[in-house]
Each structure stands twice: as C-alpha cells, then as structure tokens.
C-alpha cells in the first residue's frame, strides 16, 4: 500500500472541487447534448471572444513568435511584454501606480491562491499557526483543500442575511463578528463572490481595507470575475488596490481557462516570494495565454469586447435565469435567490428544505442536471458552534449554458425541490 | 514587513535554480548575441522540430480544436486523447502493459517531481519523517528547494568515481553506501542524469529495482531526457517500468518547454493521488502541449524525428564539444570530463581547483559566459561527514548553443581555469 505524507494526505483528501471537476469533465465529454451542466465555472463560448484568440494564435504562428513561446522556458515571473501591457492598462484604467515589480504570473488563478495561502499562513517560524480569514462565508469551494497543513488554516465568518424582497436576499459582512486576530495571516474574499454572485460594496470593502491595514494584515481579493477585466459585474464596482492588498486575476473568464494563466498584483516583496515559489514548484508559467492577450490589451480591443460583448452576455444570461424562477418555483415553496450582482452563478436558498442540498444535487444529477451543492462553499465555517441549517439549504447554479438547457435544468431543480417539500 | 509561513520560507529560499532561471532569462533577452549561454536546460532550436509544432498548431486553429483547448478547463488528469496515444505508443514501443489509469499530466516535469516528493516524503501521519533518497549524487539542481518541510527531506549517496582514461570518468552507484532505511519514502534519480550526462547502466538499474522492490519503496526515474522519447541517449539504454516504479517524462526536450507539460507513469493509486493534487493546486493542467504532440505520437512522426534528427543533433553537439577540450585545456592542468552518455550537458571536473566552482562561475559570467557551478547539484549530500572537495571542483556545461558560441564559451572557461591554477 502507498504511504502518503501528511501533505499528501491533505492534498488528496476528496473535496468538493474534485467532484466538481469530475462532473464537469464527464458531462463535457459524454457527447450527450441534453445534459444540463449548471455546475462548474467554465465560461460560456462566445463567438466574438473565441474569434479573438483564434486570430491571435494565427498571427503568432505566422510571425514566428509561436516558435519562441513554445521552444523556450518563460521567465518565472511571467512574460515581460504581457506584464508591461497589463501594468500600463491597469494604471491608465484604474489610476494605480503599478510597475512590473508589482506583477507575477502563475499557472492559473487557482495556483495563485494556493501559492499565496501557503506562503502566508500555516505553521510559522515563530511557532504560531497563522490562518486565512474569510470575512464572508460562503466563498469559493476551490480554496477548501489548498491548505498544506490541513483544514485548520481557514476561518470564515458567518454573514448577515438581508432580505431585499420576498424572494431576493444578499449576504453582508457581519462586522460585529469579524475579529482579525494576531494569528490572522491575511483576509481573503472573492469579489464578485463565487458562488453567490454577491459584490461586496465599495463601502464594505473600504471598511475591510481600514481594518486590515490597521492590523498590518494583507487584504487578498480574488478578482477572477471583477473589474476592469473581465468585469462580469452587473452593479457599479470600483476596482481597488493598494500596497496592503493582494489582487489575483485570471484569464479564464475572458475565455482562456485552458491556458492556465493567473495574475498576482501585490507589493514587490510579495511578488518576489510568489515568483520564487513558482520557480521552485514549476520552473516558470506557460506563456501562451499571456501572448494571446497582449496585443488586445495594448490596442484596447479586450476592454471593448468585455464592455460590449462579454459583460452584456452574462448580464443577459443572469436576467434570463432570474426571469424563469417565479414561474418554475411558484409561491408554494420558500425559494430565495441571492441578488445577482456579478460572476456566472445564481445562488438559490430553500429555507427549511427537508433534504440536504447534497441529496438534492444527487437527485438532480440522476436526471441529467448538474448543480453544485452549497455546503461545500461553507468550508471555512467551523462545524461546531450554534447549528446553522442554512449551509445545507443552498445550491449554486451556473448560467453559462444555453437558454434551452438553463430552462430545462432549472425545471428539474424546481421539480425536485417541490417533491422534497411535499414529501416531508 | 511580510511574515512568511515555514513553507513560504522553504520555497522562497534562494537556491541554485533561481540563479539558473534568472541567468537564463537575462541572457535570452539581453539581445547580446555574443553571450555564451552554456548554462540552463533550454533545448536547442532545431528547425525540423520547430516546424512540427508550428504545423500542428496551424492545424488546431484551422480545424477548430484550438477553440476547445483554450476555451474549456481540461480534465485534471490530462487530455484523454493524448493519454490514449501515449499509452498505445509506450506499450507498443517498450512492451509495457499500461492503461490510461497509469498516466497523469502535470504543469511540467518540475511540477511532477514537486508533487511526488511532497506527496510521499516529509512528516507522515505515523509520526515518521520520510526522505527521498538519491542513490547517485550529483543530481538535478531543481529538486533542491522542492521540499515543503525544508531541506531535511533529501538524502544523497556519494558516488564512486571510475576513471575511463586520463581525462574521462564516470560516476557509479556505490551500492555499499546505499542504505534504504525504514524512513526512505522513495529512491529517485534522473536517467540520463542531469547534470552529468551519465546513464546509469541497465545492470545498476536492475539492482536498484531489486533493492527498492524488496524494501517496498517506489523507484522514481526522472526520464526527461530518456527513452523512448526524447531519447537523448548516446549509449544503448533499455526503458524500464514496473508497478514499483514511477517514471516522469516531459515534453520540454522535444522542443516544448514553453508549454509546461509533464507526465507521470505509475500505478493507479499513485496516479489518483497525483491527479487529486493537481486539481487542488491548479484545477487542471494546460492542454496545448498535449494537443500539439498527439497526432505525431499517433502516426509515428515524433519517434522518427527523435531518431533521425533530435538524437543525432545532440550527439553531434556532444562530440563537437568533447573534441574541443583537449586543445583548449591542454595537458598542463588536471581537467576531466564525465563520459557523455546522454542529455544536453558536459560535466567538467578540475581536481584540486584552487578556487571554488562558484568563483569560477562568477569569473566566467563577468566575461559573458554562463556556466552552472557544480556544488548546487550535490544538494542532497550532507555537508557534515568527511570533507569532499570534489563538490566544489565541477561545473555543468550545456552544449545546446551554436558551435561558435560553444567554442567561444569553452575558451573562456579554459582560460579562467588555467589562470586559477597558475595563480595558486
């Protein structure tokens, strides 16, 4: 039998993200066009966007840059041309004052978080065990198993719930519960939030910035869906960065998940540590995604396409998905949806659901409809303490699929939810 | 000031591989064609090989597969089409009996080793701290800082030195010193060996397989340069694999380092653990390298090009580099070179060198010639014990550069070595 190290045990523990990736891939390659993949974070295939990357690659092959891209090791810190273009774009667009020393490239946004979490938290030379604090739980399930010292590295704060109308709610940061402790290594959240589509307000963010800055603890924002790129936001959001913040970005949501390109924006000492970790673990990032994007960053095409095509596309899908809910779920069951402010998901909450969301996920899956059970996203909340049934009453629905599949999938969900309530 | 975790401290410790990557990149982008980059593991640019990848990518863009490759997350375990083609090729070529369950894809060969080392060794649930044992030191410098629990994870065995003629030697495994202990998690080596160009004989390998199998410890072979692909071997070598072995491979040496594609061949339980770690740390590997290679694996082109072009090219370079040595170094100084049996390097040893190889490296660098000081490659040998000046008397020379740069660079080395001896 194989003997695993402690780290091996932590990293191979079966968690939500494994199930998600497996469901995703099985559905993609099943060849069954009738499957409703309302799970997963795969972006939609938007022809105007896909066309950009195809054209860009064609040009790289023609002009010979392709040969250099695949035939040489990249700089461990990322492609200098891409970084220059990115810095220039961000400074102009957001009024920041970045230099190339503020940027590192990783093998995807997931790897960026993995690197940062383990670089900052866990057992420290002074004997303390430091934690990553999530000020608003639920948050992205992919963080769950990333701790190299086991689950103890994450602590989440239960959010407040604000009802906006009979069926719409919004999570808000409960600042009364939010205690940054001496052992807090960083405060982290995704904005827009995966899974809920919440966008933490500029005011909430301002408070967080004050609190973390006062405590001397970095504030880490996973900006995979945020402004200025890809900017999948349906409410006004101000991009924010300062020397106390660590911003992670990704090329996945502009249609390049297959290139595995993540970006870290932080002060130079953090960037140097990230680059060193990239070198050690994988020599250098791959550079194809960066090269595909560079010309369109430089000439403004990418921002225009996001503004005119990408953001409206997802906003349209969100509105369409929301418009289906009243008719499908009706008034006989207590269905609620998180206010859709960004990202690619609806977050549905069924108060008092007589079965767990895991059971609901399985029932839907058996009918060809994949959703994400919500309890995985509460990974950072301690299980002990006052019981909170809420964490087993929610599911995440991706709205990147076609309108037809969305309608079909949501009908299955509504059907199973109704059955569950009526049989209790 | 930034506070790093213990793991952050380990992974950001400045080591040989950081210097190497930095030198490599600076030289590549300096625009100074006169620099002699005799360091680093970048493969040569061989037009017949480059042409393959350009043609392959052109076809992927034309037939629409490119859209799927960049626009979707890949399977965490790798692209099924590539894995099928690889399994088929390896079974046919090597007479193995692999199934797709024996293969995982990682973000480069470096990442494969990083994942395997930390999955198997370090602190274990039973309280033991397990080690990776290198039966023949020196070995690849890139392993050095990969231990998530600090350097304690690696232990190396000092090799025997066999003189083959007045200037040629070969390291051999010292089986008398080779003690597989209860705390040994795996035995690991590169074959052909980076840095020396040594190919551990089939007989030595057979003994290692016996010993590890008897001890129930996996034998890990880093096959980045080995058979059947890319097969940069100048002596006959038999590819070997069994259920007790873990073979890592890479697409880097067939001219695709920029794609970051590593391969692990092992028994299914190890593969499942690797895939789980890939999912956790980076969701999935990028899949462009795999897609570029698949058609040429299937139709036999890749093997033919390796046999007819790639292997002869490196063999020719090795012979050319070796042919320069007698005239450049002469008979007045005790220069020795490791028998060149494979990979892309010459390993030079100057017995009784009055300066350290680090000093020699710096003197050469100041004259525009980059080499690798040898002491980094002895990272797994404990510093304590009988002193061994040998570890400060060697340098690694890459022979992938043009003949002109090789001649120029080696002249600088010879000049500095002679100066060092004459001034002592």
């Amino acid at each position: 039998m194989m003997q695993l190290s402690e780290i091996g045990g932590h990293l191979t523990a079966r968690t939500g993200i494994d199930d998600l990736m497996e469901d995703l891939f099985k559905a993609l390659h099943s060849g069954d066009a009738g499957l409703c993949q309302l799970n997963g974070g795969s972006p939609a295939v938007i022809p105007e966007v896909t066309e950009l990357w195809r054209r860009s690659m064609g040009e790289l092959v023609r002009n010979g840059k392709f040969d250099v891209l695949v035939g040489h090791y990249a700089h461990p810190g990322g492609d200098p041309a891409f970084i220059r273009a990115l810095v220039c774009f961000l400074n102009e667009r957001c009024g920041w004052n970045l230099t190339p020393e503020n940027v590192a490239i990783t093998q995807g946004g997931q790897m960026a978080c993995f690197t940062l979490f383990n670089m900052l938290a866990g057992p420290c030379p002074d004997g303390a065990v430091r934690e990553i604090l999530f000020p608003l739980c639920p948050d992205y399930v992919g963080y769950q198993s990333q701790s190299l010292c086991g689950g103890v590295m994450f602590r989440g704060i239960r959010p407040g719930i604000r009802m906006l109308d009979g069926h719409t709610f919004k999570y808000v940061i409960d600042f009364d519960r939010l205690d940054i402790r001496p052992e807090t290594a960083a405060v982290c959240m995704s904005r827009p939030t995966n899974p809920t589509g919440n966008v933490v307000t500029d005011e909430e963010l301002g408070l967080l910035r004050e609190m973390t800055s006062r405590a001397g603890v970095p504030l880490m924002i996973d900006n995979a869906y945020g402004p200025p790129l890809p900017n999948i936001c349906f409410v006004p959001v101000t991009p924010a960065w300062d020397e106390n913040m660590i911003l992670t970005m990704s090329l996945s949501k502009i249609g390049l998940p297959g290139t595995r390109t993540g970006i870290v924006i932080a002060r130079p000492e953090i960037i140097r540590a990230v680059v060193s970790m990239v070198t050690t673990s994988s020599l250098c990032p791959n550079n194809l995604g960066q090269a595909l994007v560079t010309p369109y960053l430089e000439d403004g095409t990418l921002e225009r396409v996001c503004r005119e095509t990408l953001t409206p596309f997802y906003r349209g899908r969100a509105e369409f998905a929301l418009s289906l809910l009243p008719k499908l779920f009706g008034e006989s069951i207590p269905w609620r949806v998180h206010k859709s402010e960004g990202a690619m998901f609806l977050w549905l909450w069924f108060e008092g659901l007589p079965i767990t969301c895991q059971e609901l996920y399985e029932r839907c899956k058996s009918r060809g409809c994949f959703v994400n059970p919500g309890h995985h996203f509460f990974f950072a909340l301690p299980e002990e303490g006052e019981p909170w049934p809420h964490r087993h009453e929610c599911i995440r629905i991706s709205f990147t699929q076609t309108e037809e599949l969305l309608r079909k999938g949501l009908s299955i969900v509504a059907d199973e939810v109704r059955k569950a309530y009526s049989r209790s």
Side-chain angles (χ1 to χ4, degrees), chain A:
Chain A
M1 262 309 294
M2 179 175 54
Q3 207 150 20
L4 287 179
S5 68
E6 284 175 12
I7 283 174
H10 300 323
L11 290 189
T12 58
R14 189 94 198 158
T15 54
I17 193 70
D18 295 89
D19 292 339
L20 192 155
M21 290 302 288
E22 197 154 308
D23 281 353
L24 252 187
F25 195 78
K26 271 194 193 148
L28 181 64
H29 288 263
S30 69
D32 180 351
L35 285 181
C36 306
Q37 289 180 257
L38 309 188
N39 62 338
S42 267
V45 174
I46 306 174
E48 293 90 329
V49 180
T50 308
E51 169 63 19
L52 286 185
W53 312 133
R54 204 184 304 125
R55 217 166 61 207
S56 195
M57 181 53 86
E59 179 58 23
L60 290 170
V61 171
R62 265 191 305 279
N63 69 17
K65 281 191 192 164
F66 174 77
D67 298 0
V68 179
L69 289 171
V70 298
H72 290 275
Y73 290 95
H75 188 273
D79 177 32
F82 173 72
I83 290 178
R84 272 195 305 275
L86 182 70
V87 162
C88 188
F89 170 77
L90 291 174
N91 286 347
E92 200 166 297
R93 183 61 185 65
C94 309
W96 298 341
N97 200 16
L98 303 174
T99 73
E101 282 67 45
N102 293 112
V103 183
I105 307 299
T106 61
Q107 310 251 46
Q110 179 95 356
M111 182 65 91
C113 294
F114 176 74
T115 303
L116 288 160
F117 289 161
N118 288 292
M119 179 178 115
L120 298 170
C124 290
D126 62 1
V129 178
R130 294 209 164 70
E131 69 184 12
I132 304 289
L133 178 62
F134 294 92
L136 191 146
C137 239
D139 209 326
Y140 173 48
V141 65
Y143 305 143
Q144 179 180 13
S145 46
Q146 291 203 317
S147 161
L148 290 170
C149 63
V152 297
M153 207 164 87
F154 300 127
R155 184 166 64 91
I157 306 291
R158 189 196 289 191
I161 295 179
R162 183 176 297 157
M163 288 305 302
L164 302 179
D165 64 37
H167 290 294
T168 313
F169 72 104
K170 181 172 157 76
Y171 290 127
V172 292
I173 298 177
D174 185 342
F175 283 96
D176 290 337
R177 289 179 188 248
L178 183 62
D179 51 339
I180 298 178
R181 301 175 183 170
E183 67 266 26
T184 305
V187 173
C188 175
M189 56 185 301
S190 55
R191 184 186 190 239
T193 306
N194 175 354
T196 59
N198 186 17
V199 172
V200 162
T201 63
D202 286 348
E203 200 193 337
E204 284 175 305
L205 188 70
L207 260 169
L208 278 181
R209 289 172 72 175
E210 257 182 62
M211 288 175 74
T212 51
S213 163
R214 205 178 319 125
V217 159
L219 175 60
M220 194 175 147
I221 303 290
D222 182 343
N223 195 44
Y225 301 91
L229 292 173
N231 199 19
I232 307 179
C233 293
F234 319 137
V235 293
V237 192
T238 315
W241 185 79
D242 63 43
E243 287 264 315
N244 193 52
M245 289 176 69
I246 304 173
L247 203 63
T248 65
M249 299 170 63
S250 161
L251 299 188
S252 293
K253 310 314 175 195
I254 54 172
L256 294 173
T259 69
R260 311 311 300 128
T261 313
I263 300 163
V264 181
I265 313 273
R267 61 179 193 264
E269 60 169 344
I270 292 176
I271 293 301
R272 281 193 298 272
V274 168
V275 172
S276 204
M277 286 181 72
V278 168
T279 307
T280 297
S281 64
S282 56
L283 279 185
C284 61
N286 85 76
N287 44 18
L288 286 166
Q290 299 171 72
L292 290 175
V293 167
T294 303
Y296 299 131
L297 257 185
E298 284 169 343
D299 71 5
T301 302
L302 185 57
E303 201 199 3
R304 185 178 52 72
V305 167
C306 285
R307 190 177 58 239
E308 295 175 4
T309 305
L310 197 118
T311 310
F313 173 88
Y314 287 109
R315 189 192 292 118
R317 276 295 156 84
E319 286 166 1
F320 173 78
L322 285 170
S323 76
L324 297 174
L325 302 181
K327 206 186 278 175
L328 288 175
F329 287 95
E331 288 303 319
S332 63
I333 53 170
W335 66 272
R336 317 199 187 299
V337 62
H338 192 285
K339 190 183 174 201
S340 176
E341 301 180 312
M344 305 176 170
F345 314 103
L346 295 188
W347 179 253
L348 299 176
W349 168 31
F350 307 104
E351 200 171 1
L353 184 70
I355 58 173
T356 63
C357 55
Q358 175 71 21
E359 176 63 27
L360 177 59
Y361 152 76
E362 279 160 20
R363 292 185 188 181
C364 291
K365 184 172 165 178
S366 74
R367 293 179 60 184
C369 169
F370 295 82
V371 303
N372 289 111
H375 62 292
H376 289 309
F377 298 87
F378 292 96
F379 68 93
L381 275 191
E383 290 282 348
E384 62 274 18
E386 340 155 38
W388 198 37
H390 182 84
R391 65 165 101 203
H392 296 288
E393 296 174 346
C394 302
I395 59 173
R396 188 185 80 171
I397 299 282
S398 159
F399 51 69
T400 59
Q401 294 290 305
T402 62
E403 296 193 349
E404 188 196 336
L405 287 175
L406 257 174
R407 187 192 302 272
K408 185 175 157 194
L410 280 169
S411 307
I412 294 172
V413 173
D415 198 37
E416 290 299 331
V417 168
R418 249 197 314 274
K419 268 193 232 165
Y421 276 107
S422 68
R423 282 182 197 163
S424 67

